[in-house]
């Protein structure tokens, strides 16, 4: 799917309030990375460099919609993007498209976005992604369900990481409420066992797009 086609699909989505979304083509020629960004991929292979550069371009375009043009987006030691003060965001890379979403930190405590090629996930990987109970909430076709669940969990993980700074596996989050949220199966401070992260998912051509947007009041509401 072309970037133009992806943009057309995205234009039909009603994203939560004040979020900005942009996409970029990793196969296109983009302006040079900022020096602080270039340092993050000095030893990366060409494919990784292309995806990283397109992701930063998409992120800069999203931030420009917020009135922050031309800013650098460094990579922290934990490899997470370092967003400008007062903003939160998330980036997802594929071999054919990169997408970024940004918002104001007064509105959102964390954002997570994930873009995955549609299709069936290999049976050997499905048990790593989720249980039969989780997959059944999405589709009778467990191969397709696993791809979609992977994307949902990736988006939720990115959103919560902005608050927890904790790395964990797929089993720490379980799909609940008919696929509308991902629930913590164990405590991951500041989250409690049973806390639910709201998720949304759309079919965009031959891809799945997943989003987790945590409001700035999320933890206050849960406490």
């Amino acid at each position: 799917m072309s970037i133009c086609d992806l943009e057309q699909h995205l234009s039909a989505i009603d994203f939560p309030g004040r979020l900005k979304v942009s996409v970029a083509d990793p196969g296109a020629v983009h302006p040079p990375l900022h020096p602080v960004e270039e340092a993050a991929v000095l030893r990366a292979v060409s494919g990784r460099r292309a995806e990283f550069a397109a992701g930063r371009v998409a992120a800069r375009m999203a931030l420009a919609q917020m009135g922050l043009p031309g800013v650098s987006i460094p990579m922290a030691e934990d490899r997470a993007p370092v967003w400008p003060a007062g903003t939160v965001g998330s980036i997802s890379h594929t071999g054919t498209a990169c997408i970024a979403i940004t918002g104001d930190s007064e509105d959102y405590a964390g954002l997570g976005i994930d873009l995955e090629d549609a299709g069936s996930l290999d049976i050997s990987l499905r048990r790593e992604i989720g249980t039969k109970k989780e997959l059944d909430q999405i589709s009778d076709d467990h191969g397709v369900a696993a791809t979609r669940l992977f994307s949902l969990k990736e988006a939720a993980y990115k959103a919560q990481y902005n608050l927890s700074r904790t790395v964990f596996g797929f089993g720490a989050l379980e799909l609940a409420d008919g696929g509308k949220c991902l629930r913590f199966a164990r405590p991951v401070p500041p989250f409690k066992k049973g806390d639910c992260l709201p998720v949304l998912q759309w079919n965009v051509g031959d891809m799945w797009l997943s989003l987790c947007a945590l409001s700035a009041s999320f933890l206050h509401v849960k406490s």
Side-chain angles (χ1 to χ4, degrees):
M1 180 171 59
S2 71
I3 293 297
C4 288
D5 288 339
L6 178 57
E7 289 176 331
Q8 186 172 6
H9 281 286
L10 295 176
S11 68
I13 295 175
D14 185 17
F15 287 99
R18 301 219 296 167
L19 290 175
K20 306 301 181 184
V21 180
S22 289
V23 295
D25 184 354
V29 177
H30 296 295
L33 291 167
H34 291 199
V36 69
E37 299 166 345
E38 180 67 33
V41 287
L42 279 177
R43 296 178 178 84
V45 298
S46 59
R48 163 61 179 159
R49 286 180 60 87
E51 290 182 12
F52 181 92
R56 262 38 186 193
V57 167
R60 256 189 283 285
M61 290 191 295
L63 289 168
Q65 295 178 55
M66 298 176 63
L68 298 168
V71 297
S72 297
I73 308 163
M75 185 169 72
E77 289 186 7
D78 61 4
R79 302 182 65 81
V82 180
W83 298 95
T87 70
V88 292
S90 181
I91 304 171
S92 183
H93 311 90
T94 76
T96 57
C98 296
I99 188 168
I101 191 164
T102 59
D104 195 306
S105 59
E106 291 187 357
D107 298 327
Y108 298 97
L111 294 172
I113 199 164
D114 186 72
L115 189 64
E116 298 291 336
D117 291 328
S120 180
L121 197 65
D122 189 270
I123 192 169
S124 64
L125 299 174
R126 294 174 197 173
R127 290 183 180 178
E128 296 181 25
I129 306 304
T131 64
K132 180 180 183 299
K133 181 180 178 181
E134 290 178 281
L135 298 176
D136 283 343
Q137 294 181 63
I138 298 176
S139 173
D140 291 336
D141 184 334
H142 281 187
V144 172
T147 299
R148 294 180 60 184
L149 182 60
F150 175 86
S151 184
L152 287 168
K153 289 193 174 185
E154 282 288 299
Y157 172 83
K158 292 177 182 180
Q160 70 79 36
Y161 188 80
N162 192 55
L163 296 168
S164 75
R165 297 293 165 181
T166 300
V167 177
F168 53 71
F170 291 110
L173 292 172
E174 55 188 17
L175 196 66
D177 195 19
K180 296 178 181 178
C181 77
L182 284 158
R183 181 172 56 210
F184 279 92
R186 59 178 176 81
V188 178
F191 301 96
K192 304 170 186 175
K193 180 179 178 180
D195 278 352
C196 282
L197 307 178
V199 288
L200 296 167
Q201 189 173 73
W202 302 271
N203 180 228
V204 288
D206 56 1
M207 294 182 171
W208 288 104
L209 176 67
S210 301
L211 172 66
C212 179
L214 303 181
S215 69
S217 61
F218 180 82
L219 290 178
H220 174 71
V221 170
K222 291 294 181 181
S223 62

